[in-house]
Amino acid sequence: MRFVARVLSLIFLVFAVLAGLVDAIQTVAAGEVILTPMLESWGLNSPDTLAFVEDLFARYLPAPAWDVAAVWVLSQPASAVFLVLSLLFYLAGYRRPNPAGRFAA
């Protein structure tokens, strides 16, 4: 399970870097800061999965879960959302080093 969490962390980190790179290129081209919201990016790249997730939220969770919480998270910049997801999965897969040392019994 720890391995899966670390792999997901790496994947989300790659997505965060790519989203940040796209935003940086658009910022330089436009001459002003442009940060693409996660909802816009997801809607342009895969509108079917966005509608599927919205339907899941509507079916299994109360209405404020999508209207307040999910929309707020998805209105943040995509690179920030992916960085937070990467950090959460990294922390889930993190193993503390042995305090006694490497060669302790």
Side-chain angles (χ1 to χ4, degrees), residues 3-85:
F3 175 74
V4 173
R6 286 195 173 193
V7 168
L8 286 173
S9 173
L10 178 66
I11 290 169
F12 284 130
L13 183 62
V14 169
F15 286 160
V17 169
L18 289 175
L21 183 65
V22 168
D23 286 346
I25 290 171
Q26 290 178 348
T27 296
V28 169
E32 61 184 58
V33 177
I34 296 177
L35 298 173
T36 307
M38 182 73 181
L39 188 62
E40 179 183 328
S41 177
W42 194 357
L44 289 174
N45 291 319
S46 183
D48 296 335
T49 59
L50 180 61
F52 176 71
V53 170
E54 187 175 356
D55 183 49
L56 284 177
F57 268 74
R59 184 176 298 155
Y60 296 112
L61 296 174
W66 177 262
D67 295 335
V68 178
V71 171
W72 182 83
V73 169
L74 293 175
S75 67
Q76 303 305 315
S79 57
V81 173
F82 283 130
L83 278 175
V84 168
L85 285 172

